[in-house]
């Protein structure tokens, strides 16, 4: 199912898997110390934020009731 942005559930699932795989690699030790300074090959916080983003998108685009539009920040007033 595609939406107004062109993102599909399948695309979300692929991206989410990539972020989950990256998180696992980082958690398994892709960080090390050089002269007392920790060096990482990836930013775990950024990866976890990506997991959150793509998890939410998978939920959104996996919902058959979703029509592909979200309206936010509506203010009452004159038209």
């Amino acid at each position: 199912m595609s939406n107004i942005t062109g993102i599909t559930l399948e695309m979300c699932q692929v991206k989410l898997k990539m972020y989950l795989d990256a998180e696992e690699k980082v958690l398994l030790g892709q960080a090390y110390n050089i002269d007392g300074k920790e060096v990482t090959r990836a930013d775990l916080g950024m990866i976890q934020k990506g997991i959150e983003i793509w998890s939410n998108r998978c939920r959104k685009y996996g919902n058959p009731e979703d029509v592909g539009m979200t309206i936010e920040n509506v203010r009452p007033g004159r038209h």
Side-chain angles (χ1 to χ4, degrees):
M1 176 171 153
S2 185
N3 65 25
I4 198 165
T5 64
I7 297 174
T8 65
L9 175 59
E10 292 79 22
M11 293 165 76
C12 292
Q13 291 169 332
V14 167
K15 288 289 189 183
L16 177 59
K17 181 168 180 357
M18 289 171 61
Y19 275 94
L20 290 170
D21 290 345
E23 180 187 47
E24 181 179 4
K25 288 177 183 174
V26 170
L27 292 173
L28 290 175
Q30 292 209 8
Y32 53 95
N33 286 309
I34 298 177
D35 295 328
K37 180 179 177 188
E38 184 177 36
V39 179
T40 60
R41 296 183 189 171
D43 182 346
L44 182 59
M46 181 202 68
I47 292 170
Q48 290 172 333
K49 181 67 177 167
I51 290 170
E52 180 183 343
I53 289 168
W54 287 104
S55 291
N56 289 337
R57 287 180 180 169
C58 284
R59 269 192 297 282
K60 178 180 177 184
Y61 299 132
N63 180 359
E65 301 297 318
D66 182 18
V67 295
M69 275 182 142
T70 302
I71 299 173
E72 298 178 9
N73 300 325
V74 176
R75 288 189 240 161
R78 294 190 299 207
H79 300 282

